């Protein structure tokens, strides 16, 4: 039985039951911490579908769950300011004493803005800010577009919470995404990154006078993996395959132009007697381009499109495969092998199926335990890896 009040507040713009990668990670953080929490989140009905199994996953730890209705705009004050103000109102109406801790996670940027206000105005004694990815950059190294920050009203309250030097810096970098990174850098008590290369890329965006203090408060914490019981319950067998067939599962959008094409090409290069013993099931809502490429390469019989599964059903189904495919992006323009650790690795890692990883050498994914591994751009190496995997069933 949960306590009637929670001493920890979760601020997560994207939160269950909405299907969103960051919502899943926040839910797993709550399971991992195993303490009662209150939650302030947004209504994402306009942009995300619902997955009630995600809410079932996190429900045992929820005391109060407040859903805020605001315009759903990514890096835009027209969405951010009402989320902050309505979230503050919810805390003031429902809470007497300050929370001992507030936790927030990007993406989306809204979460850090509300948490910063709560921490700076005394509604929480400690603030943990987690970053899912480098906020300012897309995976291809291009800048993420961002709306401007107006230096008036509620935003002036955040400016007053930092020193003069930091105020000048924030005025010079008055965009939503810049503030979503640098306000936590200035005010959060703990900064959580999923891998060290992500930390290094984000530190490079900060002025030198800020970096040492950020590193002092930084924690590296990869996406959590749920306990084995979440994979074992009511697990259904994999889809029917021929005896001796090596089955690979992939859950999520499959991008032939982001490294996935190399994997398909490697399948096409297998000798016919091995290729007929391989299946790739891709669970995705949109497989048009994937199936086109597979047909062009002559491997249409090897690639099967499956309907997306609810999160908890996905965990259970994953164990029916011989391998679960995960890959790094095709190139890394950041000066490090990769600042991105694919979040699905943490879900695959708890499954009895082995991970089959296509990695950038030295990337966070490359450093993880993987049963099968090859490298981005090495089609011959991927073919050899598939050969080893298929013949391992002999």
């Amino acid at each position: 039985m949960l306590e009637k009040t929670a001493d920890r507040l979760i601020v997560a713009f994207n939160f269950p039951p909405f299907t969103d990668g960051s919502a899943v990670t926040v839910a797993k953080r709550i399971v991992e911490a195993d303490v009662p929490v209150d939650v302030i989140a947004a209504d994402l009905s306009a942009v995300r579908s619902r997955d009630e199994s995600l809410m079932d996953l996190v429900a045992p730890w929820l005391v109060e769950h407040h859903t805020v209705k605001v315009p759903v705009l990514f890096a835009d004050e027209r969405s951010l300011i009402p989320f902050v103000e309505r979230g503050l109102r919810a805390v003031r109406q429902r809470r007497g004493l300050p929370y001992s801790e507030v936790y927030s996670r990007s993406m989306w940027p809204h979460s850090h803005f509300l948490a910063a206000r709560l921490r700076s105005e005394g509604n929480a004694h400690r603030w943990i800010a987690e970053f899912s990815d480098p906020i300012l950059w897309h995976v291809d190294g291009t800048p993420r577009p961002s709306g401007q920050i107006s230096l008036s009203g509620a935003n002036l309250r955040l400016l007053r919470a930092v020193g003069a030097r930091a105020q000048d810096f924030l005025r010079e970098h008055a965009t939503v995404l810049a503030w979503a990174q640098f306000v936590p850098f200035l005010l959060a008590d703990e900064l959580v990154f999923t891998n060290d290369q992500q930390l290094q890329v984000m530190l490079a965006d900060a002025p030198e006078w800020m970096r040492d203090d950020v590193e002092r408060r930084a924690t590296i914490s990869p996406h959590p993996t749920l306990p084995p019981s979440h994979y074992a319950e009511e697990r259904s067998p994999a889809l029917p395959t021929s005896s001796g067939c090596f089955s690979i599962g992939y859950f999520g959008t499959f991008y032939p132009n982001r490294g996935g094409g190399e994997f398909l090409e490697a399948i096409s290069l297998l000798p016919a007697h091995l290729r007929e013993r391989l299946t790739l099931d891709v669970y995705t809502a949109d497989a048009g381009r994937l199936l086109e490429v597979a047909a062009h390469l002559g491997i249409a019989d090897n690639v099967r499109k499956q309907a997306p599964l609810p999160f908890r059903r996905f965990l259970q189904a994953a164990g029916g495969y011989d391998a679960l495919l995960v890959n790094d992006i095709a190139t890394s323009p950041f000066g490090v092998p990769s600042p991105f650790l694919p979040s699905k690795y943490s879900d695959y890692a708890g499954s009895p199926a082995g991970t089959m990883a296509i990695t950038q050498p030295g990337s966070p994914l490359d450093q993880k335990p993987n049963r099968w591994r090859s490298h981005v751009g090495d089609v011959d190496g991927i073919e050899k890896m598939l050969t080893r995997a298929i013949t391992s069933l002999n």
Side-chain angles (χ1 to χ4, degrees):
M1 181 70 70
L2 280 177
E3 303 171 14
K4 291 183 179 179
T5 60
D7 202 32
R8 188 172 194 244
L9 175 65
I10 306 296
V11 178
F13 190 81
N14 32 351
F15 189 77
F18 298 104
T19 53
D20 179 276
S22 190
V24 171
T25 299
V26 172
K28 293 192 294 181
R29 292 288 188 204
I30 292 173
V31 174
E32 181 181 52
D34 194 23
V35 297
V37 296
D38 290 343
V39 172
I40 296 177
D43 182 347
L44 299 185
S45 301
V47 297
R48 296 285 188 272
S49 59
R50 295 173 66 94
D51 179 353
E52 299 304 332
S53 77
L54 276 176
M55 182 54 75
D56 293 341
L57 172 67
V58 77
W61 291 271
L62 297 188
V63 179
E64 294 193 19
H65 177 201
H66 188 83
T67 302
V68 177
K69 286 186 173 290
V70 297
V72 182
L73 304 168
F74 178 65
D76 193 311
E77 280 195 331
R78 292 172 294 174
S79 175
L80 188 150
I81 290 177
F83 178 75
V84 171
E85 294 305 324
R86 292 169 195 177
L88 284 169
R89 190 180 309 131
V91 170
R92 290 163 182 163
Q93 289 175 347
R94 295 168 178 245
R95 183 78 181 176
L97 297 174
Y99 288 95
S100 65
E101 182 176 279
V102 59
Y103 160 94
S104 60
R105 186 177 197 269
S106 64
M107 298 292 190
W108 290 27
H110 304 57
S111 305
H112 289 334
F113 280 83
L114 175 52
R117 285 286 299 278
L118 290 166
R119 177 69 175 94
S120 63
E121 295 178 16
N123 292 292
H125 294 303
R126 188 167 184 269
W127 175 21
I128 299 175
E130 178 173 352
F131 297 96
S132 59
D133 298 311
I135 284 182
L136 301 179
W137 307 101
H138 286 301
V139 295
D140 61 1
T142 57
R144 291 185 192 271
S146 176
Q148 294 296 118
I149 283 286
S150 56
L151 299 176
S152 61
N155 293 327
L156 288 180
R157 295 186 179 93
L158 285 180
L159 275 178
R160 286 196 287 267
V162 302
R165 190 182 203 182
Q167 288 182 17
D168 291 341
F169 178 80
L170 291 178
R171 286 191 176 97
E172 293 168 3
H173 298 79
T175 68
V176 171
L177 293 183
W179 277 39
Q181 174 167 329
F182 298 120
V183 169
F185 275 18
L186 292 163
L187 295 179
D189 299 278
E190 182 179 350
L191 298 160
V192 178
F193 303 85
T194 61
N195 65 85
D196 184 69
Q197 293 179 35
Q198 176 200 355
L199 169 60
Q200 297 309 314
V201 167
M202 295 182 70
L203 277 176
D205 293 322
E208 288 190 15
W209 57 265
M210 196 184 293
R211 295 175 189 172
D212 286 346
D213 196 41
V214 169
E215 286 192 285
R216 180 181 58 79
R217 289 174 286 126
T219 298
I220 305 300
S221 180
H223 312 93
T225 296
L226 291 170
S229 60
H230 292 274
Y231 296 81
E233 296 172 1
E234 303 176 5
R235 183 191 306 148
S236 298
L239 294 171
T241 57
S242 304
S243 176
C245 186
F246 191 90
S247 59
I248 302 171
Y250 184 94
F251 296 81
T253 304
F254 191 96
Y255 296 101
N257 60 340
R258 292 192 192 173
E262 297 169 352
F263 191 79
L264 299 178
E265 183 181 353
I267 294 176
S268 73
L269 294 176
L270 289 168
H273 73 282
L274 292 178
R275 191 168 63 249
E276 67 186 12
R277 296 175 57 195
L278 180 74
T279 60
L280 170 64
D281 286 331
V282 180
Y283 291 79
T284 182
D286 182 8
R289 180 59 180 157
L290 163 67
L291 297 178
E292 286 178 10
V293 173
H296 175 74
L297 291 172
I299 57 171
D301 291 341
N302 301 93
V303 180
R304 306 185 295 195
K305 189 266 185 188
Q306 308 296 344
L309 296 175
F311 179 72
R312 299 184 80 181
R313 178 68 187 87
F314 141 58
L315 295 183
Q316 295 156 9
Y321 287 94
D322 296 302
L324 301 170
L325 178 64
V326 59
N327 61 285
D328 276 329
I329 57 173
T331 59
S332 180
F334 295 97
V336 297
S338 177
F340 302 95
L341 174 61
S343 61
K344 68 164 54 73
Y345 178 85
S346 64
D347 296 322
Y348 288 179
S351 173
T355 51
M356 179 173 281
I358 314 299
T359 69
Q360 290 282 358
S363 74
L365 178 61
D366 192 49
Q367 297 171 36
K368 293 289 184 182
N370 291 291
R371 189 173 301 175
W372 293 276
R373 184 197 325 267
S374 190
H375 291 144
V376 170
D378 184 5
V379 175
D380 289 342
I382 297 172
E383 180 196 358
K384 291 175 182 176
M385 175 191 68
L386 290 172
T387 298
R388 291 193 301 272
I390 296 166
T391 56
S392 71
L393 298 179
N394 292 341

